[in-house]
Amino acid sequence: KTTMGIGGPARVWAEPTNERELKTLVRLAHKLRLPIFCIGRGSNLLVLDSGFDGLVIRLNHAHWQRIEFLKNGRIKAYAGAKLKVLCAQACKSDLQGFEFMEGIPATLGGALHMNAGAFNAWTFQRVERVGYMTMNGRLHNKSARRLKPAYRHVPGLKNAIALWAILKPAQKTSAESIKKTMEGFGTHR
């Protein structure tokens, strides 16, 4: 399940299809004192040959991959959305500011947790709000600032599963200009 294709099994593997199922899984694991680990695309992840003796959750269902364009020029993207897809859809809508994400092999959930970035840009520069679930199954919705994003980690999401984020573009511009920037980043990579 990782991009490296290595590592042992999970004691329990689950791919919930919605928040209700996720909440049930998280609460049951909490009750049984099972550790929980959430996996995105499985990139930048090495798993021990002995595996993980707990619940591994992947938000891979279509429900978690949604990207919605809001009336106020913002984007609501869910944790399972691939950054490459998010970047491409923002480009089609002439929304600048997501170009750096194009080459990052991650889902939005993983990018939120580690404040992923490239080319002097990072995820939380684009984030306004985040919806998340704590490890006891409680839902929260906080501003990006209150989660205290830092370089390659976000303390406010440490013991939580990111569910969605409201993202703001830098500005509107032509798709052609955005594509040029993405091509430049691709060449540099």
Side-chain angles (χ1 to χ4, degrees):
K1 301 291 185 178
T2 67
T3 57
M4 298 292 286
I6 62 170
R11 183 172 178 192
V12 180
W13 178 272
E15 294 188 12
T17 63
N18 56 43
E19 287 87 356
R20 189 184 87 261
E21 289 180 7
L22 177 61
K23 188 176 196 175
T24 300
L25 285 165
V26 167
R27 285 188 170 172
L28 183 58
H30 183 72
K31 183 178 178 180
L32 297 173
R33 295 192 167 108
L34 261 179
I36 299 171
F37 185 79
C38 201
I39 182 176
R41 288 185 70 185
S43 61
N44 203 21
L45 178 65
L46 299 175
V47 178
L48 295 172
D49 289 340
S50 58
F52 182 72
D53 191 28
L55 169 62
V56 177
I57 297 171
R58 176 178 255 166
L59 302 179
N60 199 37
H61 186 271
H63 170 83
W64 302 108
Q65 295 177 21
R66 292 179 294 158
I67 298 170
E68 302 167 358
F69 291 85
L70 307 177
K71 290 180 183 176
N72 62 3
R74 304 301 197 243
I75 300 170
K76 183 175 185 178
Y78 289 77
K82 293 177 182 172
L83 294 186
K84 182 177 189 83
V85 173
L86 174 60
C87 183
Q89 289 195 18
C91 178
K92 285 180 186 174
S93 296
D94 299 332
L95 300 176
Q96 186 180 32
F98 303 95
E99 299 86 340
F100 73 94
M101 294 179 173
E102 201 276 331
I104 300 173
T107 60
L108 180 62
L112 289 168
H113 267 276
M114 67 177 290
N115 197 11
F119 304 108
N120 295 316
W122 53 92
T123 303
F124 268 81
Q125 284 178 310
R126 304 278 54 98
V127 175
E128 279 190 355
R129 300 198 71 73
V130 177
Y132 64 94
M133 184 180 292
T134 55
M135 294 305 173
N136 59 7
R138 290 197 182 123
L139 294 171
H140 299 270
N141 171 346
K142 288 189 179 174
S143 71
R145 182 182 43 79
R146 289 186 59 205
L147 296 171
K148 303 183 183 338
Y151 182 76
R152 299 298 180 256
H153 73 285
V154 180
L157 292 176
K158 185 176 182 188
N159 294 310
I161 299 169
L163 304 177
W164 54 263
I166 302 294
L167 307 167
K168 61 182 185 247
Q171 63 186 29
K172 282 201 71 106
T173 192
S174 72
E176 184 178 304
S177 172
I178 294 169
K179 285 178 188 175
K180 275 187 179 179
T181 302
M182 290 184 339
E183 288 169 3
F185 288 163
T187 301
H188 184 76
R189 275 197 169 100

